[in-house]
Amino acid sequence: MDAKDAMMGPEGSKPSISKVRGPPPSNPVARFGEQVFKVHSRGSTWMAEIRAGCVLFMTSAYILFLNPLILSGASNGFNTGMPKQDIVLATAVATAVATATMGVVANYPWVVSTQLGTNSFFVNNVLGVEKCGHHATMQGPDKACMGVPCACVPASATNMTLVPDVTLSGACAADTANMCMGTRIPFEQGLACTFLEGLVFILICVTGLRAVIIRMFPKSVLMAGAAGIGVFIAFVGMKDSGFIAAAPFPTLVGLNTEWPYKHGGWGANDYHSCIGFNSCTMYFDGPPYSVVCPWLAVAGLLVTCVLLVWNVNGAFIIGIFFTMFASWAKFPQKMSEGGLVPDKVVDVARFTKTAGALDFNWGANTGELIGALMMFLYLDLVGSSITFVSLGQMAGVLNKKGDMPRSNIAFLADAFGTTLGGLLGSSALTTYVESASAMREGGRTGFTAVVCSLFFLASIALWPLFSSIPSIATGPILCLIGAVIFLESIHDITWSDMTDAVPAFTTIMAMPFTHNIAYGVIAGLIMHVFVKFCTFKLFPFQRNWPGVGVYSRWSSYQPMFTSIPGWNVDPMTGEKLAEVSTEEQDLSLVTAYTALRKRKQAGRNVPGAAAAAADDGFAGPAGTAKAAAATAGAAVPGDDSARGGVPGGSMV
């Protein structure tokens, strides 16, 4: 490939890469790197690629904080059985390998890591929480008994009600208030489902079925699914931050004026925690069994938001550190003593439970896990496709069909990362939109991704720090990440077409309100089929059905929604009848009405006055009110002819 070819996208797309800088490298190592990454051909330098790799790590390293908190169940007030140490290690290794694959094989400066939204779906909707479930531990206000592994036995020979067997550990008293809580489905089966989804994704990419499957989904539901995931993630972030809490019927969810939870879930009618939005305390009477400090989370949200709008690289991770250090200052004791400061920051990481712990003996959970596999595949395909289009558009490598070079190879990096993540102990991986920060910094080749992967490997030793971040530090970040994901997709929905807008809105709203991504997608698809069928747009053969002409005339006669004020808009053309400024709107209507009355009283001596007088000035042809007012000598806003002048003040 010569320099000219390197600067052009496929099929004559616009150039995305600047001119070649300087002579080709003379160093043998640099020449080898040039053959692999084409740094010189793409108009970049090795130092620019290294700098972009550092920025890429800073903008995506927040996943090392978020993923352990979500997959371990800590953000939901229960334990999934997956140790945070294992999750940090699995996230770092899978991210490093997948990102390096993206850089070396596909030669794109993009990072591949755990997909937010999928990990929440993995915990909340696949594993679930159940009393006396799998990998159960004691949860409740008894700190001495908190987190102790437990099992349930019948209360007595005649009473088969399951109760915790407190004899398993001497840490729990016989009358402990803690409950034995576990998961409905063991994480081993959930990881096996993730692993299989990665293999299916690889098969789809190799056979070329990816494009066929994507085309099967309606675009409105496809894009709304991504936007809905953003709203869902933001909703989870607001809960983790303590901004919102459960409220009595009919509100159900409201501002956290008082934290209503106690051990076992809901608080009783006469239960008062005396903890609200202005509180900042450690709370062990119920979820989250940790710190509740909404105002500190608000401070973290505002700081991160300012950094984000100022385009500061690493805004998310800086925001996490800000809130984390502030919480350490508020609760300076070590975690073993009831505080928030980790007992150690650096340690040797090793897998203890999750690596290779795949259970394919699904039994009664087979149907549910197959459905979860399909949802994982949908989220992976949609997330990757939307991100690739966005990043490819930014890089200028998209062709007229919306495809880009080596796209299948790039998708394979995603699929391989998902397979490795399931094997080690993480949910599905996908390409991050934060990769745009590396391109803004000057990263143009896969060497940027390789540098980023090395940072992820080096971060493994910091697993004690990553696994001890409180939810008030990560919740605000989830809120802002949700906004970023939402904005990436919402513009691609045709909101002017109600047959697209209604299914899209249904998809977006159903996800957070049902707390289930799958339910949102299903609701959107059902609504799409119903609306398109009723408007004769679902199948091509519907165009010849009886009633098509009636629908066409009825739907095009007058739009359902018009501009405000609607009476000043022509229902057929959609154009304004009179240009009226907001400040002079009331005055202009009075002026036009007065002018019409004067004309009517003048004896209809003006040609055409009868037609003008019969019109009320609001629903007639464009300019009627303005013409009537001008005839009576009144000045109408926006009409300079009544004043004898033209715009700009020059006289005729």
Side-chain angles (χ1 to χ4, degrees), residues 103-121:
V104 175
V105 181
N107 200 21
Y108 285 120
W110 302 341
V111 61
V112 182
S113 191
T114 306
Q115 185 178 28
L116 286 173
T118 302
N119 51 7
S120 296
F121 178 78

Side-chain angles (χ1 to χ4, degrees), residues 201 204-205 208-214 381 385 403 407-408 411:
F201 199 3
I204 289 175
C205 293
L209 292 175
R210 173 182 59 85
V212 177
I213 294 176
I214 288 295
L381 280 170
S385 299
D403 204 356
S407 60
N408 262 346
F411 272 99

Side-chain angles (χ1 to χ4, degrees), residues 267-440:
N269 291 331
D270 58 346
Y271 174 75
H272 297 284
S273 65
C274 299
I275 298 175
F277 202 90
N278 297 326
S279 303
C280 192
T281 183
M282 299 295 290
Y283 184 72
F284 292 99
D285 289 339
Y289 303 107
S290 183
V291 61
V292 177
C293 193
W295 61 264
L296 183 55
V298 169
L301 177 67
L302 295 178
V303 169
T304 309
C305 184
V306 170
L307 296 174
L308 194 63
V309 298
W310 276 66
N311 288 325
V312 176
N313 291 317
F316 290 144
I317 193 171
I318 295 174
I320 290 176
F321 277 121
F322 170 82
T323 312
M324 180 184 68
F325 289 143
S327 66
W328 287 2
K330 178 66 177 177
F331 304 97
Q333 297 82 12
K334 292 185 177 181
M335 297 186 70
S336 58
E337 300 172 354
L340 291 178
V341 180
D343 294 272
K344 53 185 176 181
V345 176
V346 179
D347 193 15
V348 178
R350 60 179 64 88
F351 288 107
T352 58
K353 285 187 178 181
T354 62
L358 305 181
D359 181 8
F360 296 98
N361 185 21
W362 293 351
N365 300 324
T366 300
E368 188 171 353
L369 287 171
I370 290 177
L373 188 151
M374 301 304 295
M375 183 53 55
F376 287 156
L377 188 61
Y378 166 81
L379 295 175
D380 222 348
L381 280 170
V382 171
S384 299
S385 299
I386 294 174
T387 304
F388 279 21
V389 170
S390 176
L391 295 176
Q393 182 70 28
M394 180 179 178
V397 296
L398 289 181
N399 60 17
K400 296 179 180 179
K401 298 180 180 179
D403 204 356
M404 64 183 188
R406 303 177 304 282
S407 60
N408 262 346
I409 297 177
F411 272 99
L412 279 172
D414 275 19
F416 177 67
T418 296
T419 305
L420 184 60
L423 185 63
L424 296 179
S426 178
S427 54
L429 278 71
T430 190
T431 302
Y432 274 20
V433 72
E434 285 81 3
S435 302
S437 62
M439 292 193 290
R440 285 198 300 263

Side-chain angles (χ1 to χ4, degrees), residues 164-226:
D165 184 5
V166 297
T167 62
L168 293 178
S169 173
C172 297
D175 59 346
T176 180
N178 288 9
M179 296 178 64
C180 187
M181 304 298 294
T183 60
R184 185 171 43 85
I185 294 178
F187 73 80
E188 293 88 348
Q189 295 182 6
L191 291 178
C193 183
T194 301
F195 177 78
L196 288 179
E197 185 266 320
L199 294 180
V200 173
F201 199 3
I202 292 175
L203 181 63
I204 289 175
C205 293
V206 171
T207 58
L209 292 175
R210 173 182 59 85
V212 177
I213 294 176
I214 288 295
R215 282 195 295 267
M216 291 174 60
F217 283 93
K219 182 181 178 182
S220 59
V221 178
L222 191 72
M223 307 308 293

Side-chain angles (χ1 to χ4, degrees), residues 69-99:
L69 196 69
I70 296 173
L71 290 182
S72 67
S75 62
N76 293 285
F78 70 95
N79 182 24
T80 62
M82 300 175 67
K84 290 183 178 179
Q85 172 183 344
D86 290 33
I87 300 171
V88 172
L89 188 55
T91 304
V93 173
T95 299
V97 175
T99 303

Side-chain angles (χ1 to χ4, degrees), residues 503 524-536 538:
L525 289 174
I526 292 175
M527 185 61 71
H528 172 84
V529 171
F530 179 77
V531 171
K532 292 292 185 180
F533 181 83
C534 292
T535 54
F536 309 98
L538 186 62

